[in-house]
Amino acid sequence: PDRPTVIHFTGNRGDLRASAPLLAEFAAAGLGVAALVYRGAGGAPGRPRQRDIVADALALHDALRARQPPGAPAPVAHGVSLGAAVAAQLAARRPVGALILVAPFARLCEVAELQYPWAPACLILPDERWNSLAALPRVAAPILLQHGDADRVIPLAQARRLLAAAPDRARLIVYPGGGHDDLLRHGAGRDAVAWLAARPAGGAAGFPSAPA
């Protein structure tokens, strides 16, 4: 009861089975675990639109807080790849104890332009931008960024841009040889648990408490 719950957001495939080893690692460390199945993924109905996924993330956070006793540690927002953008949007709108972004991008359209340089994605994606760069300055909680220097899907430079957006609250861990989908094998889960355990005092077990 004195440990926070990690609200996890998976990558764009929306398959929580791929997240099972990471979630098990969190649970083994005594952390609570909650996870969101995106609309249109994993058998869930609907379409995976940004506004709906963000609304679902906020609803999950609020439902979790409603079940917790007063003074319980604030949840930790954790996301991988696209899920990092979901976590950033949640942390910009709700009080969280910490924000952990794994293989994140600054803006989705920038990644699209890296993959398709002939397409002006930042002009033609007005509603699905997933702009973490704009969200991070609104996040009051400490931020951990985790990225591999061999990531060919989302370059390390994207994480460095996010670091620059919140230099007073953010820390970046770079994994030599780490790709886009293998950071757990490089120790990202272990490092996240250790980083959370080292948070400065401010709530139960050293985790900041969210306002009632």
Side-chain angles (χ1 to χ4, degrees):
D2 61 347
R3 302 286 285 171
T5 292
V6 176
I7 303 178
H8 171 73
F9 303 100
T10 188
N12 67 340
R13 280 179 268 184
D15 186 357
L16 287 179
R17 291 174 296 181
S19 301
L22 174 65
L23 301 184
E25 193 165 345
F26 287 154
L31 300 166
V33 171
L36 179 68
V37 175
Y38 303 141
R39 300 187 190 203
R47 294 179 57 196
R49 296 180 297 188
Q50 178 175 334
R51 67 172 183 262
D52 294 332
I53 292 175
V54 171
D56 292 342
L58 298 176
L60 175 57
H61 172 279
D62 295 347
L64 176 64
R65 291 300 289 171
R67 294 178 56 185
Q68 293 179 316
V76 172
H78 178 282
V80 178
S81 191
L82 175 66
V86 184
Q89 294 297 321
L90 169 62
R93 290 168 167 81
R94 294 290 191 273
V96 297
L99 172 63
I100 302 176
L101 307 179
V102 183
F105 52 77
R107 296 189 301 166
L108 179 61
C109 63
E110 293 181 19
V111 177
E113 288 183 349
L114 289 172
Q115 300 292 331
Y116 307 100
W118 47 266
C122 289
L123 295 177
I124 62 178
L125 293 175
D127 299 321
E128 306 295 324
R129 294 197 176 188
W130 289 111
N131 192 343
S132 297
L133 197 63
L136 255 57
R138 308 199 308 270
V139 177
I143 302 166
L144 177 64
L145 304 162
Q146 299 177 301
H147 216 106
D149 65 2
D151 190 330
R152 298 190 179 187
V153 178
I154 301 174
L156 175 58
Q158 290 281 300
R160 295 198 186 280
R161 291 194 67 201
L162 293 174
L163 178 66
D168 57 328
R169 301 182 306 286
R171 177 193 174 193
L172 171 62
I173 300 178
V174 178
Y175 296 92
H180 190 67
D181 298 314
D182 63 352
L183 294 187
L184 188 63
R185 294 200 297 271
H186 288 264
R190 177 196 62 228
D191 291 341
V193 168
W195 181 79
L196 288 172
R199 292 302 84 220
F207 293 89
S209 294

